[in-house]
Amino acid sequence: AVIIPNIWAEPGVSLHLEESYRGGRLGIQSDTYIVQESRALGTNVIFPKSKQTTPDRPAFGQRFRLYLFDYTTLWFSAYVDPYRADHDEADGASDGFGLTAVDLFHDFRWTGIPGLSDTELQAGFIRMNRDDLLDYGDFRARGYADYIQATYVGWAGLFKPRLRYGTFADPDHFRSRADVLGITRMHHLVATVFVPDGNLTYMLQGQRNWEDGGEVANDLVRLQMLVEF
């Protein structure tokens, strides 16, 4: 399950602002952008197949990055697409799609504690809102995903282990507001080992998935080779 398509890009423009303090150890970055409404939103990845978007309309986004003393970085991101379905033009009804996300990165080097000082921690949360006025009812759908991830870099010259846990929840059907939205929640635990070899990095990864509504045969193990130029 994905909240948005894995490959998703639309033309647009952005404005980047940055301010730093105390020799660059404190700072904030801001990126504001306007993009063409995504054609991908017209597919059943996010909306029902009957929902057709109008890609000539703009969508808007904002991302803030706050970094503190070389050890902590915090991101806040928001995206709003006030799309309107073609069949809503006559009555002036408008629908909307939005994403809000928070990500945190922390490096424990400052502790000086063996083992802990070589650990990097990341965590994040994303929420998706879908407000749809369809032919057969008024819908308010919500989805979310979160994760927490720890990476040990003390053996980075030899290998780098990483452990990640996360959940994903999304309404399994579009239903009327008079109904109770069915929620499918999936948990995943991912163990990864990166092994560097010059310009190559080998990755061995195992992923265990389990679902609240019944087990699905979607666990996996994969081996990848990454090439850095």
Side-chain angles (χ1 to χ4, degrees), residues 63-116:
R63 169 168 287 186
F64 292 106
R65 175 176 179 254
L66 178 67
Y67 48 98
L68 307 169
F69 300 108
D70 303 325
Y71 301 119
T72 302
T73 304
L74 180 67
W75 291 268
F76 172 78
S77 307
Y79 175 85
V80 177
D81 187 345
Y83 75 91
R84 178 176 294 172
D86 292 339
H87 66 269
D88 291 333
E89 292 288 349
D91 58 14
S94 61
D95 304 336
F97 167 74
L99 293 170
T100 53
V102 177
D103 291 275
L104 171 70
F105 170 83
H106 187 73
D107 187 332
F108 287 93
R109 286 177 295 167
W110 61 273
T111 65
I113 301 175
L116 182 60

Side-chain angles (χ1 to χ4, degrees), residues 146-217:
D146 55 42
Y147 74 94
I148 184 169
Q149 172 179 289
T151 305
Y152 186 74
V153 298
W155 306 316
L158 299 175
F159 64 93
K160 183 170 63 175
R162 173 178 294 166
L163 189 64
R164 177 187 180 108
Y165 169 77
T167 65
F168 175 89
D170 191 47
D172 57 2
H173 295 291
F174 283 80
R175 302 179 181 178
S176 168
R177 282 196 302 180
D179 298 330
V180 177
L181 284 174
I183 298 295
T184 298
R185 181 177 287 104
M186 181 179 74
H187 308 258
H188 68 263
L189 182 65
V190 184
T192 309
V193 176
F194 299 93
V195 180
D197 183 13
N199 292 336
L200 301 177
T201 299
Y202 301 95
M203 184 193 79
L204 177 62
Q205 183 177 86
Q207 180 170 331
R208 171 77 171 93
N209 301 306
W210 63 98
E211 294 74 25
D212 289 350
E215 183 61 24
V216 178

Side-chain angles (χ1 to χ4, degrees), residues 105-128:
F105 170 83
H106 187 73
D107 187 332
F108 287 93
R109 286 177 295 167
W110 61 273
T111 65
I113 301 175
L116 182 60
S117 62
D118 294 318
T119 301
E120 298 174 347
L121 180 68
Q122 291 179 257
F125 174 88
I126 186 170
R127 179 180 175 88
M128 173 178 61

Side-chain angles (χ1 to χ4, degrees), residues 4-9 38 40:
I4 58 176
N6 290 327
I7 301 175
W8 181 39
S38 175

Side-chain angles (χ1 to χ4, degrees), residues 11-12 33-38 54-61 79-84:
Y33 56 91
I34 302 175
V35 297
Q36 176 178 275
E37 181 182 72
S38 175
T54 51
D56 58 326
R57 298 180 185 276
F60 309 91
Y79 175 85
V80 177
D81 187 345
Y83 75 91
R84 178 176 294 172

